Amino acid sequence: MLVEVAVAAAVRGTFTYRVPTELAREVSLGQRVAVPFGRSRRATGYVVGFPTAPTAGFELRDVVEVLDAEPPFTPKLVELIRWAEEYYLVPPGELLRAALPPGLNARGGEAGPERRGVEYAAPAPGAAEAVQRLARAPARRALLEYLLARGRIPVEELRAAFPRGRAALTGLARKGLVLLDQETPVARAGVLAGERVDAPVLAPSQAAALGELVPALGRFAPFLLHGITGSGKTEVYLNLIAAARAAGKGALVLVPEIALTPQLSGRFRARFGDDVALMHSGLSGAERHAEWTRLRRGGAHICVGVRSAIFAPVPDLAVIVVDEEHDPSFKQDDGPAYHARDLAVVRARIEDAVLVLGSATPSLETLENTTRGRYRRLTLPTRIDDRPLPEVHLVDLSRLRRGGHEVGPGLVSPELADALLTTLAAGQQSILFLNRRGYQTLVICEACGAEARCTECSVSLTHHARRGVLICHTCGHTERMSVACPACGGVRFGVGVGTEQVEEAVRAIAPAARVARLDRDAVGSADDTAALLARFARREIDVLVGTQMVTKGHDFPGVTLVGVVLADTALALPDFRAAERTFQLLTQVAGRAGRGAEAGRVLVQTFHPTTPAIACAATHDFAAFAADELAKRRRFGFPPFTRLLAVRIEGSEEGARRAAEALAHAARPLLSAELTMLGPAPAPIERIRGRSRWQLLFRASGPPALFRVHGALARVARRPPGGASVRFDMDPHAML
Ligand SMILES: [Zn+2]
Ligand SMILES: [Zn+2]
């Protein structure tokens, strides 16, 4: 008996092994096996097929051991991974290894106990008064504050928000500050049969969307659910999944980042109880392993997880939801490069499942697929309870400057400062968004003009004034900030505003306000983020200044003002998606305003008020933005009208250049009007961590021409001259 094995190593292709008679009965498709590979006596591999004849010219060796009692992958998952291997040009074994939770990659590993009911946590009466006494127990305090903000919630939501919070929760329960209770599976029986608990009445547009989705169950049917911010997309997902469960089927829900939106996992657990398995990085390897096994054995039928959960073994899969389908986090850039949203389409086809791509700002690829009739488009055009979208006002910074006015420290214009003070006076909350960390983004010598730059990367250093250091945001290199120029001894000054400077400006404008900052410098972990957002939800913070971390997640009913300090930060990047990304970020952050009883307003500061990405975000006009941007993409030949393949080369200065030239040389005979090559050229960031970076970008009307290029380059890429490393990236997102 022969098996085709994908070895968990950075090699393309698969290998044939012989199965000794004593193992023959244990081997099945999707099984993990130990095999001799190369010079190593033992490597992990995955059974992906049963060839009838050995590969000519290769020595046939024996499978050493079968590693699991039951295969972790279903035959349909093996089919999905084989498709991904071909399309993304990645080693199948690496993809399989990346798909499995870490606990399963280790040898052996037993599943944890099956769950018994949903555990809930709630703040005990009088817990609010106890918060102050917990000053010296920050972990417990943060967790209690979160519970005070959220009330009684499934413990899973706490786990998502506080990955390291288990000891704190136990401690609080022991002190009687938190009440834990268990809802048994028996009490949940009604839910599993599709009966809804605490389900709100559906708005007409939600009901209409479900009227299309539910009858489609049982076959491959892709939909775009285009719902504005606050329109209740999650309720549509929950109802569709309830219908699938009532028919005995399973569901998979992909979300961008669980740590920033822990409520979502809580909502699924509250509605479907033990039937939900969670897959995210806040869980330990053993816990993810246990969840994987629960799905595989049919102990759970709904999986909620991040990108890699696209490979989760959901039984009888009938519904796949990709929430915030436009989010860049669905694209994996390190390790095997794949796009979970695009794989969701493939998996839905393999499994005959209904696919729902949900977003307020659909990606232009998805939108174009609805135009071409590949996906059906459903819309939720209004907010829940008919709350209006916030009014957006553009503040033209260049006109302010031309008029001889100072914009103000921290780029806070007089208009934005006024709005902040008015909001504070009304006892309401504000969010200020700027997608740049640090105090000043550039430090220059006024005598010789030298910029502070990273020695290892071709980027300038950001001044972090509070720590008194210059930091490279690409590699993390840190050095002390000195005013004296290291080159000439002249005086250095900083330009370019970061969140730290905005925070300082807000404190100066409103000294009495309680101000906090949310970015990767201010909060070191998911736990810190959850604690800070809980304080904001409890209205212990008046103004929250932050990077794109503030654009996601929580509903804050107290927020009536959103200020975008500078909308233009991403526009100038050499990336054809820069405008799309800007529109998405502005729409998401504006969507944080006015979600409570009070109407919200948004001030967007910009030097480019007429740029469509900004002007259309201000009028909530997705259709106008998309039409303009699609016309540009068509004119300049970018996706969704073409397909791209990036080839990324890294190495020594000489090695990377030589490899890039050798690859380009191998590709040239294939080039035509239908297949073009950009480069070879140094990447926009030419050097990271001392390694030179080059790239080639191929463009064609469809994948087949790109596969032919890959075929022509593969031999050079395996042993590039100069010892460089070469990576292929199909449908690339990162352009820098
Ligand atoms: Zn100087
Ligand atoms: Zn660096």
Side-chain angles (χ1 to χ4, degrees), residues 21-72:
T21 327
E22 65 270 23
L23 294 179
R25 264 195 305 169
E26 294 176 49
V27 169
S28 56
L29 197 66
Q31 189 79 275
R32 285 188 321 143
V33 289
V35 290
F37 184 68
R39 264 164 292 171
S40 85
R41 280 175 39 239
R42 200 185 163 96
T44 301
Y46 306 85
V47 177
V48 295
F50 296 95
T52 48
T55 320
F58 282 93
E59 179 203 356
L60 199 58
R61 298 203 266 178
D62 281 357
V63 169
V64 177
E65 191 187 343
V66 176
L67 295 175
D68 316 281
E70 58 192 327

Short mmCIF file of all heavy atoms in Angstrom, two decimals, residues 21-72:
data_model
loop_
_atom_site.label_atom_id
_atom_site.label_comp_id
_atom_site.label_asym_id
_atom_site.label_seq_id
_atom_site.Cartn_x
_atom_site.Cartn_y
_atom_site.Cartn_z
N THR A 21 2.52 -3.40 6.45
CA THR A 21 1.25 -4.10 6.61
C THR A 21 0.62 -3.84 7.98
O THR A 21 -0.59 -3.63 8.09
CB THR A 21 1.46 -5.63 6.45
OG1 THR A 21 2.49 -5.82 5.50
CG2 THR A 21 0.18 -6.30 6.00
N GLU A 22 1.47 -3.79 9.04
CA GLU A 22 0.89 -3.66 10.39
C GLU A 22 0.26 -2.28 10.60
O GLU A 22 -0.53 -2.09 11.53
CB GLU A 22 1.94 -3.97 11.46
CG GLU A 22 3.10 -2.99 11.53
CD GLU A 22 4.28 -3.39 10.62
OE1 GLU A 22 4.06 -4.14 9.64
OE2 GLU A 22 5.41 -2.92 10.88
N LEU A 23 0.60 -1.28 9.74
CA LEU A 23 0.00 0.05 9.91
C LEU A 23 -1.14 0.30 8.94
O LEU A 23 -1.85 1.30 9.04
CB LEU A 23 1.07 1.14 9.71
CG LEU A 23 2.21 1.21 10.74
CD1 LEU A 23 3.18 2.33 10.37
CD2 LEU A 23 1.65 1.42 12.13
N ALA A 24 -1.33 -0.63 7.99
CA ALA A 24 -2.23 -0.35 6.88
C ALA A 24 -3.64 -0.01 7.33
O ALA A 24 -4.31 0.85 6.73
CB ALA A 24 -2.27 -1.55 5.92
N ARG A 25 -4.08 -0.66 8.41
CA ARG A 25 -5.46 -0.41 8.81
C ARG A 25 -5.64 0.94 9.50
O ARG A 25 -6.75 1.44 9.62
CB ARG A 25 -5.94 -1.55 9.71
CG ARG A 25 -6.71 -2.60 8.90
CD ARG A 25 -7.49 -3.50 9.80
NE ARG A 25 -6.57 -4.11 10.80
CZ ARG A 25 -6.99 -4.78 11.86
NH1 ARG A 25 -8.26 -4.90 12.09
NH2 ARG A 25 -6.12 -5.31 12.70
N GLU A 26 -4.53 1.53 10.00
CA GLU A 26 -4.64 2.79 10.74
C GLU A 26 -4.59 4.01 9.83
O GLU A 26 -4.91 5.11 10.25
CB GLU A 26 -3.49 2.90 11.75
CG GLU A 26 -3.53 1.88 12.86
CD GLU A 26 -2.30 2.01 13.75
OE1 GLU A 26 -1.99 3.14 14.15
OE2 GLU A 26 -1.64 0.99 13.98
N VAL A 27 -4.12 3.80 8.59
CA VAL A 27 -3.88 4.97 7.73
C VAL A 27 -5.14 5.38 6.98
O VAL A 27 -5.81 4.56 6.39
CB VAL A 27 -2.76 4.65 6.72
CG1 VAL A 27 -2.67 5.74 5.67
CG2 VAL A 27 -1.42 4.52 7.45
N SER A 28 -5.45 6.68 7.07
CA SER A 28 -6.54 7.19 6.23
C SER A 28 -6.22 8.62 5.80
O SER A 28 -5.26 9.23 6.27
CB SER A 28 -7.87 7.14 6.99
OG SER A 28 -7.75 7.85 8.20
N LEU A 29 -7.02 9.15 4.91
CA LEU A 29 -6.78 10.48 4.35
C LEU A 29 -6.84 11.53 5.47
O LEU A 29 -7.71 11.49 6.33
CB LEU A 29 -7.86 10.77 3.30
CG LEU A 29 -7.58 11.93 2.34
CD1 LEU A 29 -6.40 11.62 1.44
CD2 LEU A 29 -8.82 12.21 1.49
N GLY A 30 -5.89 12.49 5.45
CA GLY A 30 -5.88 13.54 6.47
C GLY A 30 -5.14 13.16 7.73
O GLY A 30 -5.03 13.94 8.66
N GLN A 31 -4.59 11.94 7.76
CA GLN A 31 -3.89 11.41 8.92
C GLN A 31 -2.48 12.00 9.04
O GLN A 31 -1.84 12.26 8.04
CB GLN A 31 -3.80 9.90 8.74
CG GLN A 31 -3.30 9.14 9.90
CD GLN A 31 -4.39 8.97 10.93
OE1 GLN A 31 -4.59 9.84 11.75
NE2 GLN A 31 -5.10 7.88 10.89
N ARG A 32 -2.02 12.17 10.29
CA ARG A 32 -0.61 12.56 10.50
C ARG A 32 0.22 11.30 10.64
O ARG A 32 -0.16 10.37 11.36
CB ARG A 32 -0.46 13.39 11.77
CG ARG A 32 -0.97 14.83 11.62
CD ARG A 32 -0.61 15.64 12.83
NE ARG A 32 -0.75 14.83 14.04
CZ ARG A 32 0.08 14.92 15.08
NH1 ARG A 32 1.08 15.75 15.06
NH2 ARG A 32 -0.13 14.17 16.15
N VAL A 33 1.37 11.31 9.98
CA VAL A 33 2.26 10.15 10.06
C VAL A 33 3.70 10.63 10.28
O VAL A 33 4.05 11.77 9.96
CB VAL A 33 2.22 9.31 8.76
CG1 VAL A 33 0.90 8.57 8.64
CG2 VAL A 33 2.47 10.19 7.54
N ALA A 34 4.53 9.75 10.86
CA ALA A 34 5.96 10.02 10.94
C ALA A 34 6.64 9.28 9.80
O ALA A 34 6.35 8.10 9.56
CB ALA A 34 6.50 9.55 12.29
N VAL A 35 7.50 10.01 9.07
CA VAL A 35 8.18 9.40 7.92
C VAL A 35 9.65 9.80 7.94
O VAL A 35 10.01 10.85 8.46
CB VAL A 35 7.56 9.88 6.58
CG1 VAL A 35 6.16 9.31 6.39
CG2 VAL A 35 7.55 11.39 6.49
N PRO A 36 10.53 8.95 7.37
CA PRO A 36 11.91 9.39 7.18
C PRO A 36 11.93 10.41 6.05
O PRO A 36 11.21 10.24 5.05
CB PRO A 36 12.64 8.10 6.80
CG PRO A 36 11.58 7.21 6.23
CD PRO A 36 10.28 7.59 6.88
N PHE A 37 12.71 11.48 6.22
CA PHE A 37 12.72 12.49 5.17
C PHE A 37 14.12 13.06 5.03
O PHE A 37 14.71 13.52 6.01
CB PHE A 37 11.72 13.61 5.49
CG PHE A 37 11.62 14.63 4.40
CD1 PHE A 37 11.05 14.29 3.17
CD2 PHE A 37 12.11 15.91 4.57
CE1 PHE A 37 10.97 15.22 2.15
CE2 PHE A 37 12.03 16.85 3.55
CZ PHE A 37 11.46 16.50 2.34
N GLY A 38 14.66 13.04 3.81
CA GLY A 38 16.02 13.52 3.60
C GLY A 38 16.97 12.75 4.49
O GLY A 38 16.90 11.52 4.59
N ARG A 39 17.81 13.48 5.22
CA ARG A 39 18.75 12.80 6.08
C ARG A 39 18.17 12.58 7.48
O ARG A 39 18.76 11.94 8.31
CB ARG A 39 20.05 13.61 6.17
CG ARG A 39 21.12 13.10 5.20
CD ARG A 39 22.22 14.12 5.01
NE ARG A 39 21.73 15.30 4.31
CZ ARG A 39 22.42 16.42 4.17
NH1 ARG A 39 23.61 16.53 4.70
NH2 ARG A 39 21.91 17.44 3.51
N SER A 40 16.98 13.20 7.74
CA SER A 40 16.41 13.01 9.08
C SER A 40 15.61 11.71 9.10
O SER A 40 14.97 11.34 8.12
CB SER A 40 15.52 14.19 9.45
OG SER A 40 14.22 14.01 8.94
N ARG A 41 15.69 11.02 10.22
CA ARG A 41 15.04 9.72 10.31
C ARG A 41 13.55 9.86 10.54
O ARG A 41 12.80 8.92 10.36
CB ARG A 41 15.69 8.89 11.43
CG ARG A 41 17.00 8.26 10.96
CD ARG A 41 17.74 7.54 12.08
NE ARG A 41 16.86 6.81 12.97
CZ ARG A 41 16.80 7.06 14.28
NH1 ARG A 41 17.53 8.02 14.81
NH2 ARG A 41 15.99 6.36 15.04
N ARG A 42 13.13 11.05 10.99
CA ARG A 42 11.75 11.18 11.39
C ARG A 42 11.25 12.60 11.15
O ARG A 42 11.79 13.55 11.70
CB ARG A 42 11.65 10.86 12.87
CG ARG A 42 10.28 10.48 13.33
CD ARG A 42 10.30 10.31 14.84
NE ARG A 42 8.92 10.35 15.29
CZ ARG A 42 8.20 9.25 15.49
NH1 ARG A 42 8.73 8.08 15.34
NH2 ARG A 42 6.95 9.35 15.86
N ALA A 43 10.24 12.74 10.30
CA ALA A 43 9.61 14.04 10.11
C ALA A 43 8.10 13.82 10.15
O ALA A 43 7.63 12.71 9.89
CB ALA A 43 10.01 14.64 8.77
N THR A 44 7.36 14.87 10.49
CA THR A 44 5.90 14.74 10.49
C THR A 44 5.39 15.00 9.09
O THR A 44 5.83 15.91 8.40
CB THR A 44 5.28 15.75 11.48
OG1 THR A 44 5.80 15.50 12.77
CG2 THR A 44 3.76 15.59 11.52
N GLY A 45 4.43 14.18 8.67
CA GLY A 45 3.82 14.38 7.37
C GLY A 45 2.32 14.15 7.46
O GLY A 45 1.81 13.73 8.50
N TYR A 46 1.63 14.45 6.37
CA TYR A 46 0.17 14.32 6.34
C TYR A 46 -0.21 13.50 5.11
O TYR A 46 0.29 13.76 4.02
CB TYR A 46 -0.49 15.69 6.28
CG TYR A 46 -0.04 16.61 7.39
CD1 TYR A 46 1.12 17.36 7.25
CD2 TYR A 46 -0.78 16.71 8.57
CE1 TYR A 46 1.55 18.18 8.27
CE2 TYR A 46 -0.36 17.53 9.59
CZ TYR A 46 0.81 18.27 9.44
OH TYR A 46 1.24 19.08 10.45
N VAL A 47 -1.10 12.56 5.30
CA VAL A 47 -1.53 11.73 4.18
C VAL A 47 -2.52 12.53 3.34
O VAL A 47 -3.57 12.94 3.83
CB VAL A 47 -2.19 10.43 4.68
CG1 VAL A 47 -2.72 9.61 3.50
CG2 VAL A 47 -1.20 9.63 5.51
N VAL A 48 -2.15 12.78 2.08
CA VAL A 48 -3.04 13.59 1.23
C VAL A 48 -3.52 12.81 0.00
O VAL A 48 -4.25 13.36 -0.82
CB VAL A 48 -2.35 14.91 0.79
CG1 VAL A 48 -2.09 15.79 2.00
CG2 VAL A 48 -1.06 14.64 0.03
N GLY A 49 -3.11 11.56 -0.13
CA GLY A 49 -3.60 10.80 -1.28
C GLY A 49 -3.09 9.37 -1.26
O GLY A 49 -2.27 8.99 -0.41
N PHE A 50 -3.62 8.55 -2.18
CA PHE A 50 -3.25 7.14 -2.26
C PHE A 50 -2.85 6.81 -3.69
O PHE A 50 -3.70 6.39 -4.50
CB PHE A 50 -4.42 6.25 -1.80
CG PHE A 50 -4.77 6.46 -0.35
CD1 PHE A 50 -5.79 7.34 0.01
CD2 PHE A 50 -4.06 5.81 0.65
CE1 PHE A 50 -6.10 7.55 1.34
CE2 PHE A 50 -4.37 6.02 1.99
CZ PHE A 50 -5.39 6.89 2.33
N PRO A 51 -1.59 7.05 -4.05
CA PRO A 51 -1.15 6.78 -5.44
C PRO A 51 -1.09 5.27 -5.68
O PRO A 51 -0.98 4.48 -4.75
CB PRO A 51 0.24 7.40 -5.50
CG PRO A 51 0.71 7.47 -4.08
CD PRO A 51 -0.51 7.52 -3.20
N THR A 52 -1.17 4.89 -6.96
CA THR A 52 -1.13 3.47 -7.28
C THR A 52 0.29 3.01 -7.62
O THR A 52 0.61 1.84 -7.47
CB THR A 52 -2.06 3.17 -8.47
OG1 THR A 52 -1.80 4.12 -9.49
CG2 THR A 52 -3.52 3.25 -8.06
N ALA A 53 1.13 3.96 -8.05
CA ALA A 53 2.50 3.58 -8.41
C ALA A 53 3.47 4.56 -7.76
O ALA A 53 3.15 5.74 -7.59
CB ALA A 53 2.66 3.61 -9.93
N PRO A 54 4.67 4.09 -7.36
CA PRO A 54 5.66 5.00 -6.77
C PRO A 54 6.21 5.98 -7.80
O PRO A 54 6.15 5.73 -9.01
CB PRO A 54 6.75 4.04 -6.28
CG PRO A 54 6.56 2.78 -7.04
CD PRO A 54 5.12 2.71 -7.43
N THR A 55 6.72 7.13 -7.32
CA THR A 55 7.33 8.11 -8.21
C THR A 55 8.62 7.52 -8.76
O THR A 55 9.44 7.00 -8.00
CB THR A 55 7.67 9.39 -7.42
OG1 THR A 55 6.60 9.65 -6.54
CG2 THR A 55 7.89 10.57 -8.34
N ALA A 56 8.78 7.57 -10.08
CA ALA A 56 9.96 6.99 -10.70
C ALA A 56 11.21 7.73 -10.23
O ALA A 56 11.21 8.94 -10.07
CB ALA A 56 9.84 7.06 -12.22
N GLY A 57 12.28 6.95 -10.00
CA GLY A 57 13.55 7.57 -9.67
C GLY A 57 13.73 7.90 -8.20
O GLY A 57 14.74 8.47 -7.82
N PHE A 58 12.74 7.61 -7.38
CA PHE A 58 12.88 7.88 -5.95
C PHE A 58 12.90 6.56 -5.18
O PHE A 58 12.13 5.65 -5.50
CB PHE A 58 11.74 8.75 -5.44
CG PHE A 58 11.91 10.21 -5.78
CD1 PHE A 58 11.36 10.74 -6.93
CD2 PHE A 58 12.66 11.03 -4.93
CE1 PHE A 58 11.53 12.08 -7.24
CE2 PHE A 58 12.83 12.38 -5.25
CZ PHE A 58 12.27 12.90 -6.41
N GLU A 59 13.74 6.52 -4.16
CA GLU A 59 13.78 5.34 -3.29
C GLU A 59 12.52 5.33 -2.45
O GLU A 59 12.15 6.36 -1.88
CB GLU A 59 15.03 5.43 -2.40
CG GLU A 59 15.19 4.28 -1.43
CD GLU A 59 16.06 4.67 -0.23
OE1 GLU A 59 16.57 5.81 -0.22
OE2 GLU A 59 16.19 3.84 0.68
N LEU A 60 11.85 4.17 -2.39
CA LEU A 60 10.60 4.08 -1.65
C LEU A 60 10.91 3.72 -0.19
O LEU A 60 11.52 2.69 0.09
CB LEU A 60 9.70 3.03 -2.30
CG LEU A 60 8.22 3.09 -1.96
CD1 LEU A 60 7.61 4.43 -2.32
CD2 LEU A 60 7.49 1.97 -2.70
N ARG A 61 10.50 4.60 0.74
CA ARG A 61 10.75 4.31 2.16
C ARG A 61 9.43 4.10 2.90
O ARG A 61 8.36 4.44 2.39
CB ARG A 61 11.54 5.45 2.78
CG ARG A 61 12.92 5.60 2.10
CD ARG A 61 13.91 6.29 2.99
NE ARG A 61 13.95 7.73 2.71
CZ ARG A 61 14.74 8.57 3.41
NH1 ARG A 61 15.50 8.11 4.40
NH2 ARG A 61 14.75 9.85 3.11
N ASP A 62 9.55 3.58 4.13
CA ASP A 62 8.36 3.18 4.88
C ASP A 62 7.86 4.26 5.84
O ASP A 62 8.66 4.97 6.46
CB ASP A 62 8.66 1.92 5.72
CG ASP A 62 8.62 0.66 4.88
OD1 ASP A 62 8.31 0.77 3.67
OD2 ASP A 62 8.92 -0.41 5.43
N VAL A 63 6.56 4.36 5.97
CA VAL A 63 5.96 5.16 7.05
C VAL A 63 6.40 4.53 8.37
O VAL A 63 6.34 3.31 8.54
CB VAL A 63 4.42 5.17 6.92
CG1 VAL A 63 3.77 5.76 8.17
CG2 VAL A 63 3.99 5.92 5.67
N VAL A 64 6.84 5.39 9.33
CA VAL A 64 7.35 4.87 10.59
C VAL A 64 6.23 4.65 11.60
O VAL A 64 6.18 3.66 12.30
CB VAL A 64 8.39 5.86 11.19
CG1 VAL A 64 8.87 5.36 12.56
CG2 VAL A 64 9.55 6.04 10.24
N GLU A 65 5.31 5.62 11.65
CA GLU A 65 4.29 5.56 12.69
C GLU A 65 3.08 6.37 12.25
O GLU A 65 3.21 7.35 11.52
CB GLU A 65 4.86 6.16 13.99
CG GLU A 65 4.00 5.94 15.22
CD GLU A 65 4.53 6.70 16.44
OE1 GLU A 65 5.70 7.13 16.43
OE2 GLU A 65 3.76 6.86 17.39
N VAL A 66 1.91 5.96 12.71
CA VAL A 66 0.69 6.75 12.51
C VAL A 66 0.46 7.52 13.81
O VAL A 66 0.45 6.93 14.89
CB VAL A 66 -0.51 5.85 12.18
CG1 VAL A 66 -1.79 6.68 12.07
CG2 VAL A 66 -0.26 5.13 10.87
N LEU A 67 0.31 8.85 13.72
CA LEU A 67 0.40 9.67 14.94
C LEU A 67 -0.92 9.92 15.65
O LEU A 67 -0.92 10.31 16.81
CB LEU A 67 1.07 11.01 14.61
CG LEU A 67 2.53 10.92 14.16
CD1 LEU A 67 3.06 12.28 13.75
CD2 LEU A 67 3.40 10.35 15.28
N ASP A 68 -2.05 9.79 14.97
CA ASP A 68 -3.33 10.03 15.66
C ASP A 68 -4.25 8.84 15.49
O ASP A 68 -4.19 8.13 14.49
CB ASP A 68 -4.06 11.25 15.06
CG ASP A 68 -3.14 12.40 14.80
OD1 ASP A 68 -2.81 13.10 15.75
OD2 ASP A 68 -2.75 12.57 13.62
N ALA A 69 -5.14 8.69 16.47
CA ALA A 69 -6.14 7.63 16.37
C ALA A 69 -7.12 7.95 15.25
O ALA A 69 -7.58 7.08 14.53
CB ALA A 69 -6.88 7.47 17.70
N GLU A 70 -7.46 9.26 15.11
CA GLU A 70 -8.34 9.64 14.01
C GLU A 70 -7.69 10.82 13.29
O GLU A 70 -7.01 11.63 13.90
CB GLU A 70 -9.72 10.04 14.54
CG GLU A 70 -9.66 11.18 15.53
CD GLU A 70 -10.98 11.37 16.26
OE1 GLU A 70 -12.01 11.12 15.66
OE2 GLU A 70 -10.93 11.77 17.43
N PRO A 71 -7.85 10.91 11.98
CA PRO A 71 -7.17 11.96 11.23
C PRO A 71 -7.69 13.35 11.65
O PRO A 71 -8.91 13.53 11.77
CB PRO A 71 -7.52 11.67 9.77
CG PRO A 71 -8.67 10.73 9.81
CD PRO A 71 -8.64 10.02 11.12
N PRO A 72 -6.80 14.31 11.89
CA PRO A 72 -7.27 15.64 12.26
C PRO A 72 -8.00 16.36 11.11
O PRO A 72 -8.84 17.21 11.36
CB PRO A 72 -5.99 16.39 12.65
CG PRO A 72 -4.87 15.61 12.07
CD PRO A 72 -5.34 14.20 11.95
#
